[in-house]
Amino acid sequence: MLEGRIGQDSSILSAGALSSLAGLATALMPWLLSGGTLSLHHELDADSFAAQCHADTIDTAVVPGPLVPQMAEAGLFDNDALRSVLGVWRAPERAGTGSAWRHASAKLVDLIAGGSGHNRDNSVQDNGRTPTGNVCAPIFFGPPPPS
């Protein structure tokens, strides 16, 4: 919650499915802990996503990691209230492979949603950043990965 700048009464828009542990951990739990507003967006329609961001005054967007570069290029994150974009990656080896993040006020946090068999790999440097300089915060489900 700290890395993603999710504060009290945050307004969160999730474009991920809540039918998985990754969806529950990246959208439902932050919403419950912040006591804010959770807006759900499915089917990822660009126009309705942008309209929902503005209408609901979204400050945190949770989206599939591989779509972040295309969504940014399309201007879907052009929202003055936006403080964080959480990119959820299901394939740890691909995390942070997009272009460098450029946004005036929002921070991009790459979240690796892996099972207990996954570990940090070569795509995440020792300083916790991806090769593009974005913050990488692994989320592991099940027993902690070996160190």
Side-chain angles (χ1 to χ4, degrees), residues 20-36:
S20 69
L21 287 175
L24 294 172
T26 59
L28 193 65
M29 288 308 297
W31 165 63
L32 289 172
L33 292 171
S34 73

Side-chain angles (χ1 to χ4, degrees), residues 87 89 91-98 110-112 121 123-124 130-132 136:
W89 295 84
E93 65 277 3
R94 298 195 57 203
T97 56
D110 290 316
L111 299 174
I112 300 172
D121 67 341
S123 68
V124 180
T130 62
T132 58
C136 187

Side-chain angles (χ1 to χ4, degrees), residues 19 30 42 56:
S19 59
H42 295 288
D56 296 345

Side-chain angles (χ1 to χ4, degrees), residues 27-91:
L28 193 65
M29 288 308 297
W31 165 63
L32 289 172
L33 292 171
S34 73
T37 303
L38 176 63
S39 300
L40 301 176
H41 180 86
H42 295 288
E43 303 298 326
L44 208 55
D45 176 67
D47 294 333
S48 65
F49 183 89
Q52 201 171 2
C53 270
H54 290 286
D56 296 345
T57 317
I58 298 299
D59 57 46
T60 304
V62 182
V63 298
L67 296 181
V68 170
Q70 294 92 335
M71 293 175 76
E73 187 176 308
L76 299 182
F77 300 128
D78 294 344
N79 179 357
D80 294 336
L82 192 64
R83 292 189 314 227
S84 311
V85 174
L86 308 180
V88 181
W89 295 84
R90 295 184 187 272

